[in-house]
Amino acid sequence: MTDETPGAGEASGERARRWRLVLGGAADESLGAAEGHDGAMDAALAALYDAGGAGDGETGSKRSAGLGGSAPKVARWLGDIREYFPSTVVQVMQSDAIERLDLTRLLLEPEMLAAVEPDVHLVGTLLSLNGVMPAKTMDAARQVVRQVVEGLEKRITQKTLAAVSGALNRAARINRPRHADIDWDRTIRANLKHYQPGLRTIVPERLIGYGRRTTAVQRDVVLCVDQSGSMAASVVFSGVFAAVLASMRSLRTSLVVFDTAVVDLTDQLSDPVEVLFGTQLGGGTDINRAIAYSQQLISRPRDSIFVLISDLYEGGVREQMLRRVAEMTAAGVQVVVLLALSDEGAPAYDHDNAAALAALGVPAFACTPDAFPDLMAAAIERRDLKAFAERLESSTEFG
């Protein structure tokens, strides 16, 4: 019996084609040879994902890996994958190529940077090479970083400004508001005990309202960012968010990055590209030292938010680190600990330190860039961050 369903033959052929590209040289002969456009795609995939073999990745029924260490060959390959695959796939393949084929050193060539698809992970790789990057490459690297930064700013700026401004306005509450400024939801909640059964209504003793807008600094924000190698994407997003927050007059924003040393990048926040090139990914980690420095920046504890972004692998004195966090929370500082600020979720992290922080009332969790504005709003309003983290994890798992 033959399959006469309309389109069945085309669907079956497309499935065979896709399997042929997935399997490469291991594909059964019944799937046919990859030819033409598919052959070129197959060769590009082979150069990256097939082990062994020599050659330049020519089209054929058997893949042959071979980017080697040739910069011209890699540049052609980068151009090919941009032609054959969508940008999201290109970014994954570039990242895999850097990891699998040790192409990091080739990114020090300007012509190579001109061929790549810019993304957050590429920026992280470039920042890790910052200390060894030759002068001839620096301009090209800055162009790549600026392109990514501008894209991130378009993605996050409007939502961040709206969320943080709204939270600041709601947090600046007064007890004798004008009628138009009354927050009826909170006023009713605060006066439920004054319900009058006979009148079937609440007679409020205290009105709660929104404060008027002010140009004064309402909150101090300290972002303290771990710049160890595993935190590359978080460093990039943190730098851009810090620059956006620093543009708000109602916030006093500081940015501190650390490994075993601490660097204050606050004076560079007007240009996030300069901020990122002020970082140096890699090295050890001394969270305790970074927190000690950050404590010096906090002069108004109850109006301050301290955001630690780290995988919590402590190379310094763990007991002092935990004690400093306890001191800040006791003084009224709103402490936030993020295991990552990236789209990928939580990396490997120190579970013992995360548990110890949770015992202090400071949950440690990963946060996506899209959720960070809402997190800052929650911190400004002193909402329950444990509940926020649980909602965030739930939406990430099931959303």
Side-chain angles (χ1 to χ4, degrees):
M1 180 175 179
T2 59
D3 188 350
E4 297 181 356
T5 304
E10 290 84 350
S12 177
E14 177 62 17
R15 284 196 298 271
R17 169 181 172 269
R18 290 175 178 269
W19 275 113
R20 173 64 186 80
L21 289 172
V22 169
L23 295 173
D28 189 271
E29 292 183 359
S30 64
L31 295 175
E35 298 176 347
H37 185 272
D38 282 359
M41 293 176 66
D42 188 64
L45 290 167
L48 174 57
Y49 295 112
D50 281 10
D56 298 331
E58 293 87 350
T59 301
S61 61
K62 296 293 184 181
R63 288 184 180 176
S64 57
L67 286 178
S70 167
K73 187 182 297 183
V74 175
R76 287 196 302 272
W77 178 79
L78 288 168
D80 286 345
I81 65 173
R82 293 179 73 174
E83 178 180 352
Y84 302 135
F85 302 97
S87 61
T88 52
V89 176
V90 169
Q91 292 169 7
V92 172
M93 294 179 71
Q94 284 178 174
S95 178
D96 287 347
I98 290 170
E99 179 179 348
R100 294 167 63 98
L101 303 179
D102 193 25
L103 301 184
T104 301
R105 63 184 181 84
L106 293 178
L107 292 177
L108 299 178
E109 298 295 329
E111 59 270 21
M112 292 293 295
L113 288 178
V116 296
E117 182 79 21
D119 72 333
V120 169
H121 300 288
L122 178 63
V123 170
T125 300
L126 292 177
L127 296 180
S128 70
L129 299 172
N130 191 14
V132 298
M133 191 175 294
K136 66 176 183 177
T137 308
M138 188 61 74
D139 287 342
R142 284 183 178 275
Q143 291 176 13
V144 170
V145 173
R146 189 167 296 281
Q147 184 176 345
V148 173
V149 165
E150 289 175 352
L152 294 179
E153 287 179 322
K154 290 180 181 178
R155 172 182 170 183
I156 68 175
T157 298
Q158 184 175 356
K159 182 178 180 180
T160 302
L161 296 179
V164 172
S165 296
L168 288 170
N169 291 334
R170 289 189 295 273
R173 300 184 185 279
I174 54 178
N175 291 327
R176 298 180 62 186
R178 297 185 300 181
H179 185 272
D181 296 328
I182 295 175
D183 182 340
W184 289 108
D185 179 68
R186 290 196 174 228
T187 295
I188 291 171
R189 290 174 183 272
N191 290 275
L192 286 174
K193 63 182 178 181
H194 303 301
Y195 179 73
Q196 302 294 319
L199 300 175
R200 301 180 66 183
T201 189
I202 292 173
V203 179
E205 289 190 357
R206 182 168 64 95
L207 298 177
I208 301 175
Y210 301 118
R212 309 303 297 168
R213 291 178 179 270
T214 176
T215 58
V217 173
Q218 299 179 53
R219 292 291 189 278
D220 295 338
V221 178
V222 180
L223 296 177
C224 185
V225 186
D226 183 343
Q227 58 178 354
S228 57
S230 62
M231 302 296 294
S234 297
V235 170
V236 176
F237 280 112
S238 298
V240 178
F241 270 115
V244 173
L245 295 175
S247 70
M248 304 182 67
R249 293 183 178 180
S250 51
L251 299 180
R252 181 183 292 111
T253 303
S254 302
L255 176 64
V256 175
V257 298
F258 66 93
D259 41 40
T260 53
V262 178
V263 179
D264 192 329
L265 298 176
T266 304
D267 60 353
Q268 299 180 37
L269 285 177
S270 59
D271 185 349
V273 174
E274 290 302 317
V275 167
L276 294 179
F277 275 98
T279 65
Q280 180 59 63
L281 293 174
T285 307
D286 193 336
I287 304 173
N288 177 55
R289 175 177 292 186
I291 295 178
Y293 178 86
S294 299
Q295 282 182 294
Q296 302 174 27
L297 303 176
I298 297 173
S299 58
R300 306 184 303 164
R302 297 203 61 81
D303 292 321
S304 297
I305 301 168
F306 174 69
V307 184
L308 173 65
I309 304 175
S310 172
D311 57 16
L312 298 180
Y313 286 111
E314 173 64 306
V317 183
R318 177 180 186 269
E319 293 74 16
Q320 288 187 11
M321 181 265 287
L322 295 173
R323 177 174 56 79
R324 293 184 189 280
V325 172
E327 289 173 352
M328 283 195 289
T329 57
V333 178
Q334 180 72 295
V335 179
V336 181
V337 176
L338 300 181
L339 303 171
L341 178 55
S342 69
D343 290 311
E344 284 70 39
Y349 64 94
D350 190 309
H351 290 260
D352 289 339
N353 282 336
L357 288 168
L360 297 175
V362 181
F365 56 97
C367 182
T368 63
D370 291 334
F372 187 74
D374 293 333
L375 170 62
M376 289 302 300
I380 288 170
E381 297 181 58
R382 290 187 170 273
R383 284 185 259 144
D384 184 352
L385 295 186
K386 180 180 179 181
F388 181 93
E390 290 173 349
R391 288 195 301 272
L392 180 61
E393 291 176 355
S394 177
S395 63
T396 301
E397 182 177 356
F398 298 107

